[in-house]
Amino acid sequence: MQWNTGSATGAAVGTPGTVTALSASTGSTPDTDGRSTVTVTWGAADGRGGSGPSYAAYRIAAGSTPTCRSLAGETPVGTASGSVDRGVPAGVTRYAVVADNGLFCSVAVTDTVAYERPAAPVAPSVGLVASGQPDRVDARVTAPTTKVDHYRLDTGSGTVDLAPGDSWTGVPGAGSRNTAVKVALQACGAPGDAFCSDRTSATAGALDLSASVTTAAHGHPIVVSGPDGSAVGSVRYTATWYDADGTVLPAGDGNPWDGSSVGPTPPTDASTVSVRASVTTSFDADLTRTGTDSDPVDVGPDPDAPAPDPAPIPGQGDPPGTGDPPGQGASG
Protein backbone atom coordinates (compact mmCIF):
# COMPACT_ATOMS: atom_id res chain seq x y z
CA MET A 1 0.00 0.00 0.00
CA GLN A 2 1.24 3.43 -0.85
CA TRP A 3 0.41 6.43 1.23
CA ASN A 4 -0.06 9.84 -0.41
CA THR A 5 1.58 12.68 1.41
CA GLY A 6 0.89 16.41 1.23
CA SER A 7 1.53 19.64 3.12
CA ALA A 8 -0.39 22.79 4.04
CA THR A 9 0.90 26.22 4.86
CA GLY A 10 -0.74 29.21 6.70
CA ALA A 11 -0.08 32.11 9.07
CA ALA A 12 -1.23 32.14 12.66
CA VAL A 13 -3.64 34.93 13.51
CA GLY A 14 -3.26 36.63 16.87
CA THR A 15 -4.70 39.57 18.75
CA PRO A 16 -3.84 42.76 16.89
CA GLY A 17 -1.69 45.36 18.51
CA THR A 18 -3.31 48.50 19.87
CA VAL A 19 -3.38 51.61 17.74
CA THR A 20 -0.36 53.86 17.99
CA ALA A 21 -0.12 57.59 18.87
CA LEU A 22 -3.68 57.71 20.17
CA SER A 23 -4.76 61.27 21.03
CA ALA A 24 -7.96 63.14 21.89
CA SER A 25 -7.67 66.91 21.38
CA THR A 26 -10.26 69.38 22.68
CA GLY A 27 -11.07 72.27 20.35
CA SER A 28 -10.42 75.85 21.45
CA THR A 29 -13.91 77.12 20.58
CA PRO A 30 -17.35 75.83 21.59
CA ASP A 31 -19.96 74.46 19.24
CA THR A 32 -23.32 76.15 18.75
CA ASP A 33 -24.57 74.68 22.04
CA GLY A 34 -21.57 75.96 23.99
CA ARG A 35 -19.93 72.55 24.34
CA SER A 36 -16.58 71.16 23.23
CA THR A 37 -15.61 69.37 20.07
CA VAL A 38 -12.97 66.64 20.43
CA THR A 39 -10.85 65.24 17.59
CA VAL A 40 -9.63 61.64 18.03
CA THR A 41 -6.54 60.60 16.06
CA TRP A 42 -4.43 57.44 15.98
CA GLY A 43 -1.83 55.56 14.00
CA ALA A 44 -2.10 52.07 12.44
CA ALA A 45 -2.12 48.92 14.56
CA ASP A 46 -0.29 45.66 13.79
CA GLY A 47 -2.91 43.22 12.43
CA ARG A 48 -0.99 40.14 13.64
CA GLY A 49 -1.84 38.02 10.66
CA GLY A 50 -5.48 38.95 10.28
CA SER A 51 -7.14 41.20 7.76
CA GLY A 52 -7.29 44.92 8.03
CA PRO A 53 -7.36 45.86 10.78
CA SER A 54 -10.49 48.00 10.95
CA TYR A 55 -11.01 50.68 13.58
CA ALA A 56 -13.81 52.21 15.63
CA ALA A 57 -13.62 55.05 18.16
CA TYR A 58 -16.02 55.53 21.08
CA ARG A 59 -16.65 58.08 23.83
CA ILE A 60 -16.80 56.13 27.08
CA ALA A 61 -17.33 56.90 30.75
CA ALA A 62 -14.39 58.50 32.53
CA GLY A 63 -12.44 56.01 34.62
CA SER A 64 -13.84 52.93 32.85
CA THR A 65 -11.73 50.04 31.52
CA PRO A 66 -13.47 48.88 28.32
CA THR A 67 -13.36 45.62 26.44
CA CYS A 68 -14.28 44.95 22.83
CA ARG A 69 -17.65 43.55 23.95
CA SER A 70 -18.48 46.35 26.42
CA LEU A 71 -17.99 49.09 23.83
CA ALA A 72 -21.15 48.10 21.97
CA GLY A 73 -23.22 50.31 24.28
CA GLU A 74 -20.94 53.36 24.21
CA THR A 75 -21.18 56.51 22.07
CA PRO A 76 -19.62 55.91 18.62
CA VAL A 77 -17.36 58.67 17.28
CA GLY A 78 -16.03 57.37 13.95
CA THR A 79 -14.03 54.73 12.14
CA ALA A 80 -11.12 56.78 10.82
CA SER A 81 -8.35 58.73 12.48
CA GLY A 82 -9.40 62.37 12.79
CA SER A 83 -13.00 61.57 13.74
CA VAL A 84 -14.69 64.50 15.51
CA ASP A 85 -16.93 64.15 18.54
CA ARG A 86 -19.33 67.09 19.00
CA GLY A 87 -21.43 68.28 21.92
CA VAL A 88 -19.02 66.93 24.52
CA PRO A 89 -20.00 68.06 28.05
CA ALA A 90 -17.54 69.57 30.51
CA GLY A 91 -15.18 67.36 32.46
CA VAL A 92 -12.68 64.56 31.93
CA THR A 93 -13.76 62.50 28.92
CA ARG A 94 -12.34 59.09 27.92
CA TYR A 95 -12.08 57.69 24.41
CA ALA A 96 -11.45 54.11 23.29
CA VAL A 97 -10.29 52.93 19.86
CA VAL A 98 -10.78 49.31 18.79
CA ALA A 99 -8.48 47.61 16.29
CA ASP A 100 -10.15 44.50 14.77
CA ASN A 101 -8.40 42.01 12.45
CA GLY A 102 -11.49 39.92 11.76
CA LEU A 103 -10.89 37.35 14.47
CA PHE A 104 -9.58 39.27 17.43
CA CYS A 105 -9.53 42.87 18.63
CA SER A 106 -7.61 45.16 20.95
CA VAL A 107 -8.61 48.35 22.77
CA ALA A 108 -6.59 51.48 23.52
CA VAL A 109 -7.85 54.40 25.65
CA THR A 110 -6.96 58.06 26.17
CA ASP A 111 -8.39 60.96 28.21
CA THR A 112 -8.99 64.63 27.55
CA VAL A 113 -10.65 67.54 29.34
CA ALA A 114 -13.72 69.01 27.66
CA TYR A 115 -15.29 72.41 28.43
CA GLU A 116 -18.74 73.89 28.40
CA ARG A 117 -20.03 77.45 28.38
CA PRO A 118 -21.77 78.13 31.72
CA ALA A 119 -25.06 79.93 32.13
CA ALA A 120 -24.89 83.65 32.84
CA PRO A 121 -23.94 84.20 36.48
CA VAL A 122 -25.95 85.95 39.14
CA ALA A 123 -25.03 89.61 39.54
CA PRO A 124 -21.77 90.21 41.41
CA SER A 125 -21.86 91.53 44.95
CA VAL A 126 -20.98 95.24 44.98
CA GLY A 127 -19.76 97.18 48.01
CA LEU A 128 -17.31 99.77 49.24
CA VAL A 129 -13.98 99.46 51.02
CA ALA A 130 -11.55 102.00 52.47
CA SER A 131 -8.74 102.81 50.07
CA GLY A 132 -6.14 103.74 52.68
CA GLN A 133 -6.30 107.40 51.64
CA PRO A 134 -8.25 110.00 53.65
CA ASP A 135 -11.83 110.45 52.44
CA ARG A 136 -11.31 107.98 49.56
CA VAL A 137 -13.46 104.87 49.31
CA ASP A 138 -12.95 102.27 46.57
CA ALA A 139 -15.45 99.98 44.90
CA ARG A 140 -15.34 96.28 45.72
CA VAL A 141 -16.89 93.77 43.29
CA THR A 142 -17.08 90.13 44.40
CA ALA A 143 -17.68 87.17 42.10
CA PRO A 144 -20.17 84.43 43.03
CA THR A 145 -18.88 81.29 44.74
CA THR A 146 -20.41 78.98 42.12
CA LYS A 147 -17.61 76.78 40.77
CA VAL A 148 -16.45 77.63 37.24
CA ASP A 149 -13.01 77.82 35.67
CA HIS A 150 -12.96 81.57 36.37
CA TYR A 151 -15.03 84.74 36.21
CA ARG A 152 -14.27 87.62 33.87
CA LEU A 153 -15.06 91.14 35.15
CA ASP A 154 -15.25 94.20 32.94
CA THR A 155 -14.55 97.13 35.27
CA GLY A 156 -15.31 99.80 32.68
CA SER A 157 -11.62 100.46 32.13
CA GLY A 158 -10.32 96.92 31.58
CA THR A 159 -10.98 93.23 32.18
CA VAL A 160 -9.75 91.13 35.10
CA ASP A 161 -10.10 87.41 35.85
CA LEU A 162 -11.44 86.35 39.26
CA ALA A 163 -11.58 82.98 40.95
CA PRO A 164 -14.97 82.05 42.44
CA GLY A 165 -15.58 84.19 45.54
CA ASP A 166 -12.66 86.54 44.85
CA SER A 167 -12.98 90.33 44.74
CA TRP A 168 -11.65 93.24 42.72
CA THR A 169 -11.18 96.64 44.37
CA GLY A 170 -10.47 99.96 42.68
CA VAL A 171 -12.06 102.86 40.84
CA PRO A 172 -14.28 101.57 38.03
CA GLY A 173 -14.89 103.32 34.75
CA ALA A 174 -12.61 106.14 33.64
CA GLY A 175 -11.14 106.55 37.12
CA SER A 176 -13.52 109.25 38.34
CA ARG A 177 -14.97 109.00 41.83
CA ASN A 178 -18.56 109.87 42.78
CA THR A 179 -19.79 108.36 39.52
CA ALA A 180 -22.01 105.31 39.08
CA VAL A 181 -20.48 102.85 36.60
CA LYS A 182 -21.87 99.67 35.03
CA VAL A 183 -19.60 96.67 35.53
CA ALA A 184 -20.22 93.34 33.78
CA LEU A 185 -19.43 89.78 34.87
CA GLN A 186 -19.12 86.57 32.84
CA ALA A 187 -18.73 82.97 33.99
CA CYS A 188 -16.12 81.05 32.00
CA GLY A 189 -15.94 77.28 31.68
CA ALA A 190 -12.37 77.16 30.33
CA PRO A 191 -9.17 79.21 30.40
CA GLY A 192 -9.38 82.30 28.22
CA ASP A 193 -12.64 83.80 27.04
CA ALA A 194 -13.95 81.41 24.35
CA PHE A 195 -16.19 79.49 26.77
CA CYS A 196 -17.53 82.53 28.67
CA SER A 197 -21.22 83.14 29.30
CA ASP A 198 -23.40 86.11 28.54
CA ARG A 199 -22.83 89.15 30.73
CA THR A 200 -24.58 90.09 33.95
CA SER A 201 -24.36 93.77 34.92
CA ALA A 202 -24.26 95.63 38.23
CA THR A 203 -23.67 99.23 39.29
CA ALA A 204 -20.54 100.17 41.20
CA GLY A 205 -18.64 103.30 42.08
CA ALA A 206 -15.87 104.78 44.20
CA LEU A 207 -16.27 107.82 46.44
CA ASP A 208 -14.44 111.00 47.29
CA LEU A 209 -15.96 112.11 50.61
CA SER A 210 -13.92 115.28 51.05
CA ALA A 211 -15.99 118.42 51.72
CA SER A 212 -15.19 122.07 52.36
CA VAL A 213 -16.91 125.30 53.29
CA THR A 214 -17.27 127.67 50.35
CA THR A 215 -19.04 130.54 52.12
CA ALA A 216 -20.03 131.09 55.77
CA ALA A 217 -21.51 134.41 56.89
CA HIS A 218 -23.94 135.38 59.60
CA GLY A 219 -27.47 135.84 58.40
CA HIS A 220 -27.00 133.62 55.34
CA PRO A 221 -27.12 129.82 54.70
CA ILE A 222 -23.75 128.12 54.67
CA VAL A 223 -22.50 127.07 51.22
CA VAL A 224 -20.38 123.92 50.92
CA SER A 225 -18.73 121.86 48.19
CA GLY A 226 -18.32 118.09 48.20
CA PRO A 227 -19.57 114.85 46.63
CA ASP A 228 -22.48 114.98 44.22
CA GLY A 229 -25.01 112.63 45.76
CA SER A 230 -27.26 112.60 42.70
CA ALA A 231 -24.67 110.59 40.75
CA VAL A 232 -24.25 107.77 43.29
CA GLY A 233 -27.17 107.91 45.71
CA SER A 234 -27.67 110.59 48.35
CA VAL A 235 -25.44 112.90 50.40
CA ARG A 236 -25.93 114.72 53.68
CA TYR A 237 -23.76 117.42 55.18
CA THR A 238 -23.14 118.18 58.84
CA ALA A 239 -21.73 121.51 60.03
CA THR A 240 -19.87 121.88 63.34
CA TRP A 241 -19.99 125.41 64.77
CA TYR A 242 -17.41 126.82 67.18
CA ASP A 243 -17.51 130.00 69.27
CA ALA A 244 -14.56 132.35 69.65
CA ASP A 245 -13.08 130.11 72.38
CA GLY A 246 -13.27 127.00 70.17
CA THR A 247 -16.19 125.48 72.07
CA VAL A 248 -18.55 123.40 69.98
CA LEU A 249 -21.98 125.02 69.74
CA PRO A 250 -25.35 123.24 69.38
CA ALA A 251 -25.97 122.01 65.84
CA GLY A 252 -28.97 124.28 65.35
CA ASP A 253 -31.94 123.95 63.06
CA GLY A 254 -31.55 122.32 59.66
CA ASN A 255 -28.25 120.66 60.56
CA PRO A 256 -27.47 118.11 59.09
CA TRP A 257 -29.10 118.71 55.72
CA ASP A 258 -29.50 116.98 52.38
CA GLY A 259 -27.01 117.91 49.70
CA SER A 260 -29.83 119.07 47.46
CA SER A 261 -31.21 121.41 50.16
CA VAL A 262 -30.19 124.85 51.42
CA GLY A 263 -27.71 124.75 54.28
CA PRO A 264 -28.33 126.16 57.77
CA THR A 265 -27.63 129.71 58.94
CA PRO A 266 -24.76 130.13 61.44
CA PRO A 267 -25.70 130.61 65.10
CA THR A 268 -25.27 134.20 66.28
CA ASP A 269 -22.24 133.33 68.43
CA ALA A 270 -20.52 131.14 65.80
CA SER A 271 -16.97 132.17 65.03
CA THR A 272 -15.72 129.27 62.86
CA VAL A 273 -17.24 126.24 61.16
CA SER A 274 -16.18 122.91 59.67
CA VAL A 275 -18.22 120.49 57.57
CA ARG A 276 -18.28 116.76 56.72
CA ALA A 277 -20.17 114.73 54.12
CA SER A 278 -21.99 111.39 54.48
CA VAL A 279 -22.89 109.40 51.36
CA THR A 280 -25.36 106.54 51.06
CA THR A 281 -25.01 104.87 47.67
CA SER A 282 -27.64 103.13 45.59
CA PHE A 283 -25.29 100.15 45.19
CA ASP A 284 -24.39 99.79 48.88
CA ALA A 285 -27.61 100.93 50.52
CA ASP A 286 -26.94 99.20 53.83
CA LEU A 287 -23.88 101.25 54.55
CA THR A 288 -23.35 105.01 54.81
CA ARG A 289 -19.84 106.33 54.46
CA THR A 290 -18.84 109.51 56.30
CA GLY A 291 -15.83 111.66 55.55
CA THR A 292 -13.64 113.61 57.96
CA ASP A 293 -14.29 117.16 59.15
CA SER A 294 -12.89 119.87 56.93
CA ASP A 295 -10.52 122.51 58.24
CA PRO A 296 -12.48 125.20 60.12
CA VAL A 297 -13.06 128.51 58.37
CA ASP A 298 -14.12 131.86 59.81
CA VAL A 299 -17.76 132.82 59.87
CA GLY A 300 -17.92 136.31 58.41
CA PRO A 301 -20.24 139.18 59.32
CA ASP A 302 -23.64 139.55 57.70
CA PRO A 303 -22.89 141.38 54.44
CA ASP A 304 -26.44 142.76 54.34
CA ALA A 305 -26.38 144.27 57.84
CA PRO A 306 -26.55 148.13 57.89
CA ALA A 307 -23.27 149.86 58.49
CA PRO A 308 -22.88 151.22 62.07
CA ASP A 309 -22.95 155.00 62.70
CA PRO A 310 -19.51 156.52 62.38
CA ALA A 311 -17.76 157.35 65.63
CA PRO A 312 -17.59 161.12 66.48
CA ILE A 313 -14.37 162.98 65.73
CA PRO A 314 -12.79 164.42 68.92
CA GLY A 315 -13.15 168.29 69.18
CA GLN A 316 -16.03 168.48 66.79
CA GLY A 317 -19.73 168.59 67.36
CA ASP A 318 -20.09 170.84 70.55
CA PRO A 319 -23.46 170.45 72.21
CA PRO A 320 -26.06 173.05 71.15
CA GLY A 321 -26.05 176.35 73.16
CA THR A 322 -22.38 176.28 73.89
CA GLY A 323 -19.76 178.52 72.34
CA ASP A 324 -20.26 181.80 70.40
CA PRO A 325 -21.37 182.12 66.86
CA PRO A 326 -18.46 182.73 64.53
CA GLY A 327 -17.35 186.41 64.46
CA GLN A 328 -19.10 187.34 67.66
CA GLY A 329 -17.56 187.87 71.05
CA ALA A 330 -18.88 188.70 74.48
CA SER A 331 -20.58 192.20 74.84
CA GLY A 332 -18.99 194.72 77.08
Side-chain angles (χ1 to χ4, degrees), residues 220-222 236-243 247-257 262-270 272-276 293 299:
H220 292 268
I222 185 174
R236 286 176 66 81
Y237 291 100
T238 302
T240 303
W241 309 103
Y242 305 89
D243 65 14
T247 302
V248 176
L249 300 173
D253 294 336
N255 185 20
W257 69 100
V262 176
T265 300
T268 56
D269 49 351
T272 58
V273 60
S274 63
V275 68
R276 65 181 178 273
D293 286 336
V299 178

Side-chain angles (χ1 to χ4, degrees), residues 1 15 41 67 100 105 120 131 145 147 165 212 272-273 297 312-313 331:
M1 178 181 292
T15 301
T41 59
T67 64
D100 190 334
C105 67
S131 69
T145 57
K147 185 178 179 181
S212 60
T272 58
V273 60
V297 301
I313 299 174
S331 58

Side-chain angles (χ1 to χ4, degrees), residues 47 57 146 181 203 252-253:
T146 302
V181 176
T203 301
D253 294 336

Side-chain angles (χ1 to χ4, degrees), residues 101-313:
N101 65 6
L103 292 176
F104 304 100
C105 67
S106 64
V107 180
V109 297
T110 188
D111 294 332
T112 189
V113 177
Y115 305 108
E116 189 171 347
R117 182 189 297 125
V122 298
S125 172
V126 175
L128 296 167
V129 61
S131 69
Q133 299 177 330
D135 291 328
R136 302 295 191 272
V137 181
D138 286 346
R140 178 177 60 194
V141 182
T142 303
T145 57
T146 302
K147 185 178 179 181
V148 293
D149 184 84
H150 66 284
Y151 288 94
R152 192 168 178 84
L153 177 67
D154 183 349
T155 66
S157 59
T159 303
V160 295
D161 290 344
L162 297 174
D166 278 1
S167 299
W168 169 85
T169 59
V171 182
S176 298
R177 296 180 184 270
N178 302 331
T179 300
V181 176
K182 287 289 186 183
V183 296
L185 187 72
Q186 296 171 280
C188 302
D193 60 2
F195 284 83
C196 292
S197 70
D198 293 335
R199 296 183 168 206
T200 301
S201 296
T203 301
L207 303 179
D208 178 355
L209 299 171
S210 58
S212 60
V213 178
T214 302
T215 304
H218 286 285
H220 292 268
I222 185 174
V223 178
V224 301
S225 61
D228 179 6
S230 64
V232 293
S234 62
V235 62
R236 286 176 66 81
Y237 291 100
T238 302
T240 303
W241 309 103
Y242 305 89
D243 65 14
D245 297 326
T247 302
V248 176
L249 300 173
D253 294 336
N255 185 20
W257 69 100
D258 291 336
S260 58
S261 303
V262 176
T265 300
T268 56
D269 49 351
S271 178
T272 58
V273 60
S274 63
V275 68
R276 65 181 178 273
S278 298
V279 175
T280 301
T281 68
S282 57
F283 44 83
D284 192 8
D286 294 333
L287 186 62
T288 297
R289 298 286 177 159
T290 300
T292 57
D293 286 336
S294 65
D295 293 333
V297 301
D298 292 337
V299 178
D302 185 350
D304 296 331
D309 294 334
I313 299 174

